[in-house]
Structures are given as structure tokens and as C-alpha cells.
């Protein structure tokens, strides 16, 4: 057996020779193609790209991270756009879902509350899910992959109640129209 570091593509043959000088003929040629380690990719399944919440609101974050060799860490990074104050929430520990260090994919689900940043109505938060792979680079750092940003706009309780009331009125109007259409259809 033999072992060596692969730093580029390799071509080699294994030649054997016994104690009498007989060698194998037509030794098989082996090629190894070196593939560079890629950064993890993250897909946020929930929430959508734009979210509106009250200052005490929360939502489920569902994300899938994939890497060519494995994942070491997943986290949710949220920053307030105005002052840069941020919050980091680990997703690889204590979450409902599947996360193992040596797997090449992880699906995580976590309930996240905006309260940790003490936002005010009108604030805009930018949130990303970050993943680090499990193979340290030569320079000592891990490759980090980031999801597309999620934009969270903080609305007031009054605005939330107004929207809820408007949505309820629109729903009632649609139900009335459907009932009238059904009555016309039956006539």
C-alpha cells in the first residue's frame, strides 16, 4: 500500500516484481482527477425573501445546506441594516432536523424570534444562513457558504392589526361573492 497527498491530477501504474525479477505485464494505468473543495451551498426553504414582523414576532427558519465533503457548522446571522448590530444563532445544535458533521447535506428547522435585536417599527434586518465545511483549508480557515439574504421589515402592532383587519374584510367579501355565485348557479 502507499499513501500520498494529492495536489493535482495524477496518472500512475502499479508495477510488481518478485524476488526472481519477474514483473507484471501491462500494469493497469490509474488516473486520479483532483477536485477542489467547494464552499457549502445553502437554500432557505422558509421564510420567503421578504418578511414583515412586529417587534415581538417570530417565524420558522427551514434551510438545507449541502457540501461536497461535509459540514461542520450552520448558523443564522441577522444584522440590523441601520446600525449593524447583529445576532448569531447556531442552527447545528438543538434543532429539529438532521445534522451530522460528516454528512454532505443537512436540513434544519428552527423557530427564530426577532426580539433578541430589540427592533423598532421601521427597522430593516438582513438575515442569512451560513454554513462552514468540515475541511480546514491550508490557511487555517474553513470555507463558508451563505444563503441569499432574507429582508425582514419591522412593522408596528397598529399596522399589523390594520392589515389583519383589511385581509379579514377582503376574505369576507370573497366568501360573500362565492355564496352569491353559488346561489345564482343553483337558481
Amino acid at each position: 500500500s502507499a499513501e500520498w497527498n494529492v495536489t493535482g491530477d495524477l496518472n500512475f501504474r502499479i508495477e510488481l516484481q518478485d524476488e526472481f525479477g519477474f514483473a507484471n505485464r501491462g500494469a493497469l494505468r490509474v488516473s486520479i482527477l483532483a477536485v477542489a473543495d467547494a464552499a457549502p451551498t445553502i437554500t432557505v426553504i422558509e421564510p420567503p425573501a421578504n418578511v414583515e414582523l412586529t417587534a415581538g414576532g417570530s417565524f420558522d427558519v427551514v434551510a438545507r445546506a449541502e457540501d461536497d465533503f461535509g459540514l461542520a457548522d450552520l448558523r443564522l446571522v441577522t444584522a440590523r441594516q441601520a446600525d449593524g448590530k447583529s445576532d448569531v444563532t447556531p442552527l447545528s445544535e438543538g434543532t429539529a432536523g438532521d445534522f451530522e458533521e460528516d454528512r454532505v447535506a443537512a436540513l434544519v428547522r428552527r423557530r427564530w424570534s426577532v426580539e433578541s435585536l430589540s427592533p423598532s417599527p421601521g427597522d430593516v434586518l438582513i438575515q442569512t444562513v451560513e454554513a462552514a465545511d468540515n475541511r480546514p483549508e491550508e490557511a487555517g480557515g474553513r470555507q463558508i457558504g451563505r444563503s441569499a439574504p432574507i429582508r425582514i421589515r419591522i412593522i408596528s402592532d397598529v399596522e399589523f392589526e390594520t392589515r389583519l383587519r383589511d385581509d379579514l374584510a377582503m376574505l369576507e367579501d370573497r366568501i360573500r361573492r362565492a355564496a352569491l355565485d353559488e346561489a345564482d348557479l343553483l337558481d
Side-chain angles (χ1 to χ4, degrees), residues 2 33 47 49 53 81 124 132 155 171 174:
L33 299 176
L53 288 176
Q81 198 172 31
V124 175
I155 61 175
L171 182 60
R174 286 184 181 170

Side-chain angles (χ1 to χ4, degrees), residues 63-120:
R64 179 175 172 79
E66 296 181 30
D67 189 61
D68 48 0
F69 292 106
L71 297 164
D73 186 36
L74 274 165
R75 60 191 184 166
L76 187 65
V77 179
T78 309
R80 191 187 326 244
Q81 198 172 31
D83 61 8
K85 181 179 177 184
S86 65
D87 178 65
V88 177
T89 305
L91 294 176
S92 51
E93 300 171 359
T95 60
D98 182 18
F99 182 85
E100 293 178 23
E101 189 173 305
D102 293 330
R103 298 226 16 210
V104 293
L107 179 67
V108 293
R109 176 183 302 265
R110 176 121 186 195
R111 188 100 177 130
W112 182 79
S113 175
V114 73
E115 288 179 312
S116 61
L117 290 170
S118 306
S120 303

Side-chain angles (χ1 to χ4, degrees), residues 4-12 30-36:
W4 65 89
N5 286 331
V6 177
T7 57
D9 293 348
L10 289 174
N11 292 307
F12 63 91
V30 178
S31 295
I32 296 177
L33 299 176
V35 178

Side-chain angles (χ1 to χ4, degrees), residues 15-31:
E15 295 181 3
L16 301 173
Q17 187 172 7
D18 68 11
E19 61 203 41
F20 302 108
F22 293 105
N24 62 329
R25 294 186 201 172
L28 180 63
R29 186 174 185 88
V30 178
S31 295

Side-chain angles (χ1 to χ4, degrees), residues 120-142:
S120 303
D123 284 349
V124 175
L125 308 174
I126 305 297
Q127 189 174 72
T128 57
V129 177
E130 293 183 354
D133 69 8
N134 67 348
R135 297 207 177 228
E137 291 184 11
E138 297 297 322
R142 297 183 185 277

